[in-house]
Structures are given as C-alpha cells and as structure tokens.
Amino acid sequence: MKVILFGYYGFRNTGDEQLLDETIRLLKESSSHPNYIVARGSYPLPFPTFKRTNYLAWIYYFWKSDAIIFGGGSIFQSQTSFYSLLYYLVIVQIAMIFRVKVILLCQGWGPFKSRYHQHLATRILSKPMVVRSWRDELAKSSFTNSKDHVFCDLTLLQNRDVEIEPLKSSKISLGISILQNEFNTSLKQLRERYPDIDAHYIITQPDKNKQEHQEFL
C-alpha cells in the first residue's frame, strides 16, 4: 500500500513533527516495509518527501498512491486562516478524483470563524471515501450519528526513552508554551505577581525574525 502523509509538516513546529513521527511509527507497526512519502513545507525532513507546493508532484503521487493520511493535529479549522482550511479541503477533493482513500487520523475539529466554513468542511469530509478518527468526543459530535472512532492525541502515545532529571530549583516550576511573542506583557505581569514561580519558556515554533525564539528548552 502506497501512502501520502500530509499535515503541517516541514515548518519546524515541534508538535506537528512529533505527530509525523508517531504516524510513521504506526505505519511501521502495521507493515514491515511501509511505502510512504511526506508532503512537506519549507524545511527538509528525515523521510522521503516532496514539496507541498509542487502541484505536478501531487498529481504524480496521487496517481501512484492508495491513500492519503492526515496524521493528527487540527488542520481542519479556519481560526488561523480560511485559505488554509480551503487548501486542505481542495487536497481532499483531488484525492477523491484520483480515487485515493482519505484517512483522518486523530484529527481535531475547528474552531471555525463562521458556520459556512464548518458546513463546507463537514460536507466534504462526510463523503464515503473519507475514513475518520477524531482526537476527542467533541470533534466526533460535529458529525451527526457518526460511528467514527475516537483516539487520543498521537503525541501522547510516544515513549519517553530518556529519563529527564527534574529541575533543581526551590521555586515552583511553570512551563509556558507560546507560538508568538504577543503574550509577553501577560507573562511579565504573572512573574511580577508570583515572583516565586520559576518560568521556563517552551517554544514550539520559533520565530525566525526574533533571536529569543531560537532557543528550545
């Protein structure tokens, strides 16, 4: 079985790259020689890949593949951008044209900026060629009389091979995960109000224009 793996991969987002790792691990568990290729973003990945903006490559791999797997995350939402949602839905539609099975693996659902966005996504993803499993019951409930399966977030299935030593601090340790620098004011107020808190910033997607976002903890 030849499979395309598609998600927000190749953008140096820690969570999404972990979702890709776990999707590939599940593929390897189900087959001793999995045949897959990853549609990636701007940055290289240690797997067989093609650039997601290469539309000729899309046609080629759709012609050769049996299924496309959207592996975890919450890509079917318009809170970030309606055009992002539209892009993923167009890929689903093209897959159907090529008679390629669409597999949604542990997907979240929403949020949507308008009912029209949600209605459009629901209509396309309700097609028989789409196999759906959701990340939680809330996502599943959006599909009326759905018999879809519910799994946990794929990243929660990952094994921790290395035991991490606890931070040696007498303060209360607080891990803060942010995407952008816009929360700095609130974080500053938090630290001023609770000086005994030892805050550790966990940057999941570094901002290449800001040096302070290049550090991972």
Side-chain angles (χ1 to χ4, degrees), residues 109 112 114-126:
W109 185 248
F112 298 95
S114 75
R115 290 186 178 181
Y116 168 72
H117 297 170
Q118 181 170 355
H119 174 74
L120 177 65
T122 303
R123 183 172 181 178
I124 292 175
L125 298 179
S126 295

Side-chain angles (χ1 to χ4, degrees), residues 4-13 16-17 20 37-55 57-58 87-88 205 208:
I4 301 171
L5 303 182
F6 190 37
Y8 193 67
Y9 308 141
F11 291 96
R12 291 186 174 176
N13 183 290
D16 288 287
E17 310 305 9
L20 175 59
I37 188 150
V38 181
R40 66 170 176 83
S42 306
Y43 298 96
L45 295 168
F47 307 110
T49 66
F50 70 94
K51 293 196 70 172
R52 58 192 275 162
T53 54
N54 187 337
Y55 300 107
W58 272 114
Y87 175 66
Y88 287 111
Q205 185 171 351
K208 62 183 178 181

Side-chain angles (χ1 to χ4, degrees), residues 101-115:
K101 182 180 291 186
V102 178
I103 301 174
L104 309 184
L105 182 61
C106 298
Q107 282 291 328
W109 185 248
F112 298 95
K113 288 184 177 179
S114 75
R115 290 186 178 181

